[in-house]
Every structure is written in C-alpha cells, then in structure tokens.
Amino acid sequence: MPGAVKVLIDGPSELIFDYALPEGVSARPGCRVKVPLRNTSATGTILDIGSTQSSAFKLKPVTSLIDPEPVVTEKLIQLARWMAGYYGTPLEQIMRSMLPGAVRQETHSAKTHLVATLVEMPDPEALDKLSRRAPRQHTILSLLEKSGPISLNDLGGASVRGSVKSLEDAGYLSVQPHEIRRDPDAGDVFLQSTPHKLNPGQRYAYEEICASVDSFLDPDLDPEATSNFPKPILLHGVTGSGKTEVYLQAAQHCLDRGKSVLVLVPEIALTPQTVQHFKSRFSALHDQVAVLHSNLSQGERFDEWHRIRKGEAMVVVGARSAVFAPLPSPGLIIVDEEHENTYKQENPPKYQGRDLAVVRGNLERCQVVLGSATPSLESFQNAQSGKYNLVRLTERADGQSLPLIRVVDMRNETRKQKGGPAILSERLRTDMEKKLEAGQQVILFLNRRGFARSLQCPSCGHVCECQHCAVPLTYHRTEERLICHLCGYQSIVPRACPKCHDRSILLQGYGTQKVEEVLKKVFPSARLARLDADTARKKNALRNTLRDFRARKIDILLGTQMIAKGLDFPNVTLAGILNADLSLHAPDFRAGERTFQLLTQVAGRSGRGEMEGEVIIQTFTPHSPSVQFARHHDYEGFADQEYDFRQQFNFPPFTHAALLTSKCSHERLAEFTLQNLHQRLSTNLPGGIELGAPNPAPTPRSHGLFRFQLLIRSDNPRVLSRHVQQVLSATTLPEEVSLVFDMDAYDFG
Ligand code: ADP
Ligand code: ZN
C-alpha cells in the first residue's frame, strides 16, 4: 500500500516494522529515518516502500527523515538480503557492516564554512566613497572581484565580521555556508600518467572487457534474460604482465560512457602502488577517485562515502568492504589479486568480498573482472566450467623473462650445518653476498602461518598427516596428541620419525626475529629492515619502510606474507623464501594452494627491472607439488593435481565447506554445546549435507576461551545455511557460549 514503508531498526535484535510515511514526505529505499518504537524512538533504514499489507491508518508515522538522500542504493539492499540468506547472518548485522559508522550515526555531518560571494560591485561613486570611509570594505570587494568567492576565515575571520555584515546589508555580497571536503590525500600531488601502448595480449584482454562492458549498456539487453549476460572475466596474467594497465584503460573506457568503476584491492596499505596508479591516471586534473580504507578519519569516511553516492567520485578504490561502496550504477567491478584471503572478512558477517563482487555485478548488471597471477581454485574452476570467461596474459609486459627459481633441499643443509634446522642455506647466503656487492636489493620472505603446530622430520622431510583427510595433524600440547581437526582422527606423538626413524622429529618453525638475528650476524654491514605484524603496528611503519626500500636506503627487506603482494621494486634481483614448509604443512586443505600462490607471488617480486631476477626456495619437502609447479611457473599443472586431491577428499571447490565453532571459558560446556548441536543437526539432515564430528579447534584455546569446531559440507550452500539457521534458532544456547557460523570458511585454525 502506498505511503507505507518497511524499516529495519538499528540494534542487535533483528526488528523490521511497517510505518506510515507522513504526507508530503518523499523517501526512497535506503533512506535513514527516525521512528517511534514502543515508548521511545529509534533509528533505522527503509528497506522498501509500498509493499506492506497493513493499512496506513493503523501504522505509526515515521518521525523524521534523517537524510533525504538514501545512504545505500536499492541494489545494495538486495545484496544485503542475498547475504543474509547465504551467510546465515541477521540483516541488521549486514547493514551495519555495509554502512560505515560515520554514515550511520547522525553525529557526523558534512563540514561547512562560510563563504562570501560578490553580488555586484558598487557604482564608481559609491566605490570611491568606500575607499575613503571604509577602506577595509573596499579591499574585501576588490579581493572578491579579483579572486571569486572567499571563505570568511581567509578574509580575516572575526576581525572582518563587521565589514562583511555592512557589505551584505548593502547588497554587495552574500554569505553562504559551503561544504568543505575532508580529503584523505590532501596535499599529495599526482602527476598525470599517460596510458602505455598495450601489447597484443593486453589489447586482447582490454577489448574483451570493453566488449562486455558495452553489452551491458546495450539498450536491447533483456534485463530478465540473465543467462544472456556477459560472464565475469577471470584475467589470469603472470606477475608483471601489466594487468594494472589493462584495468586502467578499461576503467577509462567505462568513464567515457558515463559509468563508474569499482576497484577492489586486497589491502590498501600493502598495495599503495595500485592506488597510486589509479590516482595518477584519474585524479591529476580533476579528482575522480575515492579511496576507502580503514585509516580514514570518521569525517573523511563520511565525505568519501557521500562523494561516491552523489556520483562525484566515479572511480572507487578500496579494500574488501568497498564492495559496498554506494556507486549509483557501476559499469565495471575489478577485483585485483582475487585469490587473496584478505577478501574474506574475519569477523561476522564472514563474507567473501570477491564473491560479493560477482553477486553485486549480477544485481547491478555490470561487468566483473577478477585478476590474478595465481587464481583461486574456486575461480579457476568457474572458468573451466564456463561460468567465467578466461583471458590469459602469459608474458611480462616489459618483455623480460620470468625469474629463475631454484629449490634448495634443507634436509642436506641440516646435515651439513648441525645443531638444529638450518635457517640460511649456503646457496642463499652466497647469492645474497653477490647481489649486495653489486648494489642490488634482496627480499627475504618468511611465512609464519601454521607456526609450530605440525610435526616434520628435518632429516627426511616427512610430515605426520591424517589418514582420512591428507592434511597435516596438529600437535596439541595439553593432551600430548596429534589431532586432525577436520575429522577428529587422533594419534600419539611419535618419538622418532615414522619413516626414517630419526629422533629429531620436531615442531617446525622460527619467527622473523630469530631470522633477523642470524642475518645481522652473517651480513653485519647490510642495511636490514623487518616488516611483520609486530613492526607494522607502528603508525606509518609500513609506508616508511617501503618508501626507504624503494629509495634504496635498505638492502635486505625481511618480512611475512605482507610483502608478497603487488610490490614493484625494479632493483630487487633476489627473492628468498626461507622456509616454504611453514605454509605448506599448515593444517588446512588450502595449504598447498596458498603455498603455490605465495611462492609465485614472492617470485614475482624479483627481476621487475632491467636486470634478471632470481628466486631461491628453501624447503624440507622439495618434491611437493606446490614447490615444483611454482618452480616451473606452471599454474595449470598445479591446479590439475590439486583438483585431484580436492575431489578425492571432497573439499572446495567441489563442495562448499562451512565451519560451526563454539567458544566458552568452560571447556566441557563448549564441547557439550557443539555435541548437542551436532545431534540436532543430524536429525532431519537435508540430503547432500555431510556433517563432520565436533572436534577441538587446531588452536584449542584462544583469548581464554576453549574452542570446538564442526565442519559441514554441501554442494548447496543455501540449503546448508538454512538448515543450520533453523537448528540454531530452535535451540536455546547456554549464555556463556558463543557460536560462530562461517560459510565458505577459509580459516580452519
Ligand atoms: P601485474 O599487475 O600484472 O603484476 P603490473 O601492472 O605491475 O603487472 O605491470 C608490470 C610493469 O609493466 C609495470 O612497471 C608497468 O608500468 C609495465 N607495463 C605495463 N603495461 C605495459 C606496456 N604495455 N608496455 C610497457 N610497459 C608496461
Ligand atoms: Zn582427518
């Protein structure tokens, strides 16, 4: 019925109520409103208008409209509803993560200042009089005449108030509030970059993307016939193949047609160069780029959000949550480094930003491009099954060859060096010496994931694995047991290696600090910097270190996965991976894929300039497929064998895997709750759902809470999600226990 609106009330419990829209008030879905609720008032967001069954006179009226303009678009409301169903998360929680706090809270608003504008100059006679009797007023008028509108502050603030008032009263000038933009990059100068001439591979990719963008704009496209829509494009381009240039030119194509562009990057701080490229191309003359990231002040966030909503910023670059940027009608959504796990949100709602980009593209009817040198197996599978359109860039844009990768077998090094597992192999040490002598730079990479939780023999490289799941078993200190957290299989901790009977089988791992100590001893005169989660916590540390490295004030950069991403340093000729096994033997079925990606990405940091690059991988498991295929730059070979393993053990992308986790300070209660839920989930279990057993999590206790988890798999994620939600809402949980449902889980730790 017209005049009625459905409002989602802000707050933890999901309340959706109908209200009447007072006469004369026009609102749209996505508008923020104040409404009466019980005996008090509340704020909320209009979900839709006119769809309610109730008759208007029974409804309480909306108290007021907080903003006449919607803060989210209708498409975003549709996306939120989709997410609620898929991720089994309340709509309110989703809206909360869609809308930045700065935009939701009424306390923030546009910042304004008063500006004086010339209305008309006095006639010469009056002007002459002014210059004699009121020289200050005269000066103000001539300034305004010469330079256009000026803010009162710039005119002199309080000291000119009287003069301005007199001039205003006389009708010579007017004073009006103006919005000032809080620009996060104010003060930065962006030099206009000119497009590169595309090489044939890039040109083909560019043309494919443009053709799809144009098809969506075709007035004859039947909006209902979704099967006729162009498919998302998976741009699989080796490191350094010039994907960014393709994105930039495709974005230009879109802008030329009046459509906006959304670019998602894994993390703004780690991909400063991508942001820089977009700013230089599109912001040098007229600032068309909005950047959304977690370091914005509330005011900046508010302004960027509204600039996007109003269509003033036609290009948006941002991390995961920018997938909710309120672009009125995007023509192109790009997800760079689409395989990166940072696209998965760690806190509820645990959405996958890349997947949402595809869903949003479908809702918005616009083209989506997923780009990577090492596509996720999920996306590659979609390309192979024909759901996505695969476009390849097989060569580096500058014509250089991909770097030479050497694998060093650390089992031999351990034997040679004695006294615990070796950190630096002879090969890596001598190559580093050569590069440093030649004035070139070195990146050393240490991945700490899965640190010290799986057992590996340093003599033969054997890793203790689950017989059912083929993932490494996790060492649990309290029980003195090895446990498979996917299926619950347990075994005793061997005293010696089951394969070679060496007694030195041990927990893998050392941290960046340990490596730093060793490096300082071996290369006392080299300038060394460490970048990991600890050092990056300091404000601007990351930015400054990367800047110094670029300026060649640092010789060796040592870091965790954070330095594996799209950095482009032409003077780096050696990249070393210190211990590939740390990520390889993480207790996770994606460990092999992650390792392959990491090795390839780290390798991609080397030899990006004129000089040839070299890569050294140190590992105790040199024959592992992740290492061997990365070494030969063979993505497809890797994907093929990895698919065999995933299919055999029914892991994604052949199924959707969800994790249900219980957390509680009482161990038994956490365990019991999950067992109880397991029992309830197994009654009336819909077909096609595979329910695992409740198990202690690989990190059984964290932040004082015991954690148990349950793996649930199904081909049909919606059926799975619905079943879990039904059981959860029909179960009264002990208050002390918190439950987390994670659809398409990435973190099994
Ligand atoms: P990717 O993102 O695929 O790893 P980049 O976009 O970083 O690759 O490009 C690698 C380098 O090649 C960059 O320095 C870029 O400026 C350069 N480049 C890109 N396209 C071209 C081109 N058509 N001609 C010459 N150089 C190019
Ligand atoms: Zn198992």
Side-chain angles (χ1 to χ4, degrees):
M1 83 134 274
V5 292
K6 238 182 223 332
V7 175
L8 173 68
I9 309 287
D10 297 344
S13 41
E14 174 135 332
L15 304 173
I16 299 177
F17 292 124
D18 293 339
Y19 290 91
L21 206 54
E23 194 109 342
V25 174
S26 68
R28 279 181 280 159
C31 278
R32 302 275 298 149
V33 287
K34 234 192 203 128
V35 291
L37 183 71
R38 306 203 178 96
N39 293 323
T40 147
S41 77
T43 52
T45 310
I46 296 182
L47 291 179
D48 59 46
I49 294 184
S51 72
T52 138
Q53 305 297 318
S54 347
S55 63
F57 64 85
K58 282 198 201 133
L59 297 176
K60 286 188 184 164
V62 166
T63 318
S64 64
L65 214 54
I66 296 173
D67 189 335
E69 293 298 325
V71 286
V72 285
T73 62
E74 275 188 68
K75 298 289 182 202
L76 284 172
I77 296 178
Q78 286 177 25
L79 182 65
R81 288 185 189 274
W82 184 93
M83 288 172 71
Y86 189 89
Y87 293 108
T89 308
L91 194 56
E92 206 280 334
Q93 197 179 59
I94 289 168
M95 292 297 272
R96 199 149 9 119
S97 56
M98 255 187 190
L99 278 180
V103 177
R104 283 166 66 90
Q105 291 150 11
E106 294 163 71
T107 44
H108 293 278
S109 58
K111 192 172 163 195
T112 58
H113 59 177
L114 293 172
V115 173
T117 311
L118 186 67
V119 176
E120 59 168 346
M121 282 303 269
D123 56 49
E125 199 180 322
L127 197 62
D128 187 48
K129 215 159 101 189
L130 269 185
S131 76
R132 277 178 286 116
R133 296 213 193 126
R136 189 176 266 167
Q137 291 186 32
H138 182 262
T139 315
I140 292 174
L141 286 180
S142 18
L143 267 177
L144 290 179
E145 189 181 30
K146 213 165 65 205
S147 341
I150 302 179
S151 81
L152 293 198
N153 272 346
D154 291 345
L155 281 174
S159 65
V160 297
R161 201 178 295 151
S163 314
V164 169
K165 179 88 177 53
S166 312
L167 289 169
E168 201 181 2
D169 290 347
Y172 296 138
L173 61 75
S174 74
V175 175
Q176 241 123 38
H178 270 249
E179 275 185 28
I180 353 181
R181 176 177 160 217
R182 288 154 288 197
D183 179 359
D185 290 323
D188 287 1
V189 179
F190 296 98
L191 296 179
Q192 176 76 48
S193 72
T194 41
H196 279 286
K197 185 173 180 304
L198 299 179
N199 65 34
Q202 287 174 312
R203 171 144 297 279
Y204 176 76
Y206 166 77
E207 281 167 2
E208 283 288 301
I209 297 171
C210 294
S212 302
V213 166
D214 292 346
S215 313
F216 276 109
L217 301 180
D218 184 350
D220 293 334
L221 181 79
D222 177 358
E224 301 308 320
T226 43
S227 55
N228 294 342
F229 287 3
K231 297 168 186 170
I233 290 176
L234 177 62
L235 181 59
H236 175 201
V238 297
T239 54
S241 56
K243 294 186 282 297
T244 315
E245 189 59 40
V246 174
Y247 301 152
L248 289 168
Q249 297 196 21
Q252 183 65 58
H253 178 89
C254 233
L255 293 176
D256 292 344
R257 277 145 195 79
K259 299 295 262 182
S260 56
V261 181
L262 174 60
V263 185
L264 299 183
V265 293
E267 236 171 298
I268 293 279
L270 298 175
T271 43
Q273 293 171 7
T274 309
V275 177
Q276 193 80 25
H277 285 311
F278 275 88
K279 282 261 181 184
S280 299
R281 191 67 56 87
F282 301 114
S283 279
L285 300 177
H286 156 59
D287 194 0
Q288 302 188 76
V289 181
V291 180
L292 293 175
H293 57 79
S294 53
N295 278 344
L296 297 183
S297 72
Q298 296 276 354
E300 287 167 351
R301 191 177 299 271
F302 181 95
D303 287 0
E304 291 294 76
W305 184 268
H306 286 284
R307 234 159 54 85
I308 297 167
R309 179 182 64 73
K310 291 180 198 156
E312 288 169 14
M314 293 290 280
V315 179
V316 177
V317 185
R320 178 179 64 228
S321 66
V323 73
F324 304 127
L327 297 155
S329 78
L332 176 61
I333 302 177
I334 295 166
V335 183
D336 192 22
E337 310 284 358
E338 67 87 30
H339 64 279
E340 279 288 342
N341 290 330
T342 44
Y343 284 118
K344 173 81 177 178
Q345 161 106 343
E346 284 174 11
N347 304 316
K350 296 185 163 228
Y351 63 85
Q352 205 329 337
R354 173 204 56 218
D355 296 348
L356 288 189
V358 174
V359 176
R360 183 167 179 192
N362 210 13
L363 292 170
E364 302 269 8
R365 317 213 187 299
C366 85
Q367 183 56 34
V368 178
V369 175
L370 309 179
S372 174
T374 51
S376 63
L377 288 189
E378 283 81 357
S379 296
F380 196 62
Q381 161 86 345
N382 281 329
Q384 290 191 320
S385 72
K387 250 172 98 177
Y388 295 171
N389 187 353
L390 181 65
V391 176
R392 286 197 182 90
L393 296 175
T394 51
E395 270 151 40
R396 281 197 160 176
D398 54 12
Q400 286 273 11
S401 47
L402 286 164
L404 178 68
I405 301 182
R406 292 178 213 279
V407 177
V408 177
D409 186 342
M410 293 303 278
R411 297 174 298 186
N412 301 334
E413 297 290 321
T414 304
R415 264 171 243 143
K416 272 191 273 180
Q417 299 188 12
K418 304 252 157 56
I423 290 181
L424 270 190
S425 62
E426 240 172 79
R427 172 95 223 189
L428 181 56
R429 190 172 47 80
T430 47
D431 281 14
M432 281 177 71
E433 273 164 10
K434 277 188 216 142
K435 301 291 178 190
L436 294 176
E437 253 164 47
Q440 296 162 10
Q441 291 167 294
V442 177
I443 289 185
L444 290 184
F445 176 82
L446 180 71
N447 184 18
R448 278 204 297 186
R449 269 192 90 92
F451 177 53
R453 283 195 269 129
S454 35
L455 287 189
Q456 184 173 32
C457 172
S459 298
C460 78
H462 176 78
V463 175
C464 299
E465 283 183 351
C466 172
Q467 344 176 324
H468 310 289
C469 307
V471 300
L473 295 167
T474 304
Y475 174 64
H476 285 248
R477 186 162 282 132
T478 38
E479 295 98 334
E480 264 299 297
R481 278 261 184 292
L482 293 176
I483 304 181
C484 170
H485 61 95
L486 290 182
C487 76
Y489 170 81
Q490 299 201 357
S491 90
I492 53 158
V493 181
R495 294 277 156 252
C497 173
K499 208 166 142 215
C500 76
H501 309 293
D502 191 297
R503 297 199 152 260
S504 56
I505 189 158
L506 42 69
L507 293 172
Q508 270 294 346
Y510 44 81
T512 39
Q513 282 177 7
K514 176 90 186 278
V515 179
E516 194 180 12
E517 280 166 30
V518 172
L519 288 174
K520 275 187 180 150
K521 264 192 218 131
V522 181
F523 303 102
S525 59
R527 293 164 301 174
L528 171 71
R530 173 163 68 95
L531 263 187
D532 54 24
D534 296 336
T535 56
R537 214 168 287 137
K538 281 190 223 124
K539 198 171 188 307
N540 292 332
L542 186 62
R543 198 169 148 169
N544 295 343
T545 306
L546 293 180
R547 194 194 50 213
D548 290 350
F549 191 59
R550 174 170 304 280
R552 306 192 186 181
K553 291 181 192 162
I554 295 170
D555 302 310
I556 307 171
L557 181 62
L558 165 67
T560 52
Q561 50 261 54
M562 61 171 60
I563 59 169
K565 289 173 196 168
L567 302 172
D568 191 0
F569 300 110
N571 193 43
V572 172
T573 50
L574 173 61
I577 292 123
L578 293 169
N579 188 344
D581 303 75
L582 283 187
S583 67
L584 198 50
H585 309 308
D588 183 337
F589 59 83
R590 286 195 182 86
E593 179 183 4
R594 275 188 194 144
T595 306
F596 178 83
Q597 288 165 349
L598 276 169
L599 299 182
T600 307
Q601 298 284 347
V602 174
R605 299 309 119 222
S606 181
R608 292 179 71 106
E610 305 285 298
M611 294 159 291
E612 217 164 287
E614 186 191 339
V615 179
I616 292 181
I617 300 176
Q618 302 191 148
T619 174
F620 290 91
T621 358
H623 301 296
S624 117
S626 301
V627 172
Q628 286 304 325
F629 285 112
R631 176 184 174 196
H632 293 110
H633 305 286
D634 184 1
Y635 173 82
E636 272 148 55
F638 172 76
D640 274 351
Q641 67 81 37
E642 185 70 13
Y643 280 135
D644 289 345
F645 154 66
R646 302 281 183 96
Q647 195 153 29
Q648 189 184 344
F649 292 96
N650 195 29
F651 287 130
F654 298 98
T655 185
H656 287 262
L659 209 54
L660 187 62
T661 308
S662 68
K663 301 180 193 172
C664 182
S665 54
H666 307 286
E667 188 174 7
R668 289 289 142 252
L669 196 52
E671 186 175 16
F672 169 78
T673 306
L674 204 60
Q675 279 166 351
N676 176 26
L677 283 169
H678 178 261
Q679 166 87 50
R680 285 165 178 262
L681 284 165
S682 55
T683 26
N684 299 327
L685 189 70
I689 297 187
E690 190 186 324
L691 194 59
N695 283 303
T699 312
R701 196 176 170 191
S702 141
H703 299 99
L705 299 177
F706 291 92
R707 298 155 19 116
F708 285 79
Q709 65 188 33
L710 174 61
L711 183 70
I712 315 169
R713 287 180 267 193
S714 171
D715 290 347
N716 190 330
R718 294 182 151 274
V719 170
L720 192 169
S721 205
R722 200 177 315 128
H723 182 59
V724 173
Q725 292 321 305
Q726 274 165 0
V727 168
L728 286 183
S729 57
T731 312
T732 323
L733 295 168
E735 244 173 50
E736 304 92 313
V737 179
S738 63
L739 270 189
V740 181
F741 177 63
D742 185 1
M743 187 66 210
D744 294 332
Y746 279 74
D747 184 358
F748 294 84

